[in-house]
Amino acid sequence: MYKPLDIALISIFAGLMYIFTLLPGIPIVGGRGKIEIAVSLTPIYGILLGPWRGGLATLLGFLIAVISPPGTPNIFSALMIIPPTTSTIISGLIVGKKFLKIEGWVFASIIQAFLILLWYLNDIGINAPLYPIIHISALILLIFFNSRLKRYLDSNIFIKRFTSVFITSLNGILSDHMSGNLIFIHSIGLFISLKTISKWLKALGLPNISSLFMYMLPISIIERISLTILATTIGLPIYLTLHKTKYWKTIRSQ
């Protein structure tokens, strides 16, 4: 059961997330909408608040953004709250406490692997087999560093702290990316019309949706690494500041 401190933290950080969603984002190539700069905050929430408090704060922040102007309250927009929430949960698991007596990075690895597997369980993913290359690379890094990422975060050596925040943020942001792609794919014909997709493909001179993803691969890699760098640039100084306070000890003890 959440305590008053938890409720206060969730409320404050949810409001902050909503404010960040109002910032100009990165335009989506070939379509409408934007990639939220707020996505760069999602792994930071996991690192600072843990998977459950951080995840709830992220979920509420994006929910407010969807139902409040200038949001677009519809089923697809509601589904797109899942990716950033997933990012926060995965990041929080990586550097958080054990869950069910199992290291959090193990759960995070399983979720990442499951998302990658889902990519190959549909025709679009099968015809774009190289698309998850950066996701697979991030998963390999996570497995290689495993529980060291948690220890590195509490280290007094700057490079270890940087490595922890960077790899944790990378995995969080890429889980957001892959889950968003999967929701997009399975929304075609349901919440996104085939006519709209055809217009996108025609405008880009592409034959099918798989080719659209491969066309977007270099852009996606640059975009997600940039968001990871931004998350690290913002998150590491905040962590280094809070690490010295009673706040951090209180949060980490719960």
Side-chain angles (χ1 to χ4, degrees), residues 186-208:
H186 292 288
S187 294
I188 296 173
L190 292 175
F191 312 121
I192 303 174
S193 71
L194 293 173
K195 185 177 180 181
T196 299
I197 297 297
S198 297
K199 286 182 179 179
W200 292 354
L201 294 175
K202 185 177 180 181
L204 295 169
L206 299 172
N208 52 48

Side-chain angles (χ1 to χ4, degrees), residues 129-172:
L130 296 180
Y131 187 76
I133 185 170
I134 188 173
H135 307 83
I136 295 170
S137 300
L139 176 58
I140 291 172
L141 281 174
L142 174 55
I143 294 172
F144 176 78
F145 282 96
N146 52 70
S147 60
R148 282 181 288 176
L149 292 173
K150 179 181 176 181
R151 296 198 301 271
Y152 281 7
L153 189 64
D154 293 323
S155 170
N156 292 321
I157 301 174
F158 177 82
I159 189 63
K160 288 186 175 181
R161 287 174 168 171
F162 175 88
T163 300
S164 176
V165 174
F166 184 86
I167 294 176
T168 299
S169 297
L170 179 64
N171 275 274

Side-chain angles (χ1 to χ4, degrees), residues 25-82:
I26 303 170
I28 296 175
V29 175
R32 297 179 179 178
K34 63 178 181 176
I35 297 166
E36 302 283 1
I37 296 297
V39 170
S40 63
L41 286 184
T42 59
I44 299 172
Y45 275 34
I47 292 170
L48 296 180
L49 300 178
W52 316 124
R53 280 173 296 203
L56 187 54
T58 296
L59 186 150
L60 290 174
F62 276 87
L63 177 61
I64 295 169
V66 167
I67 63 178
S68 303
T72 52
N74 54 49
I75 296 176
F76 181 72
S77 296
L79 289 173
M80 292 307 290
I81 296 172
I82 296 173

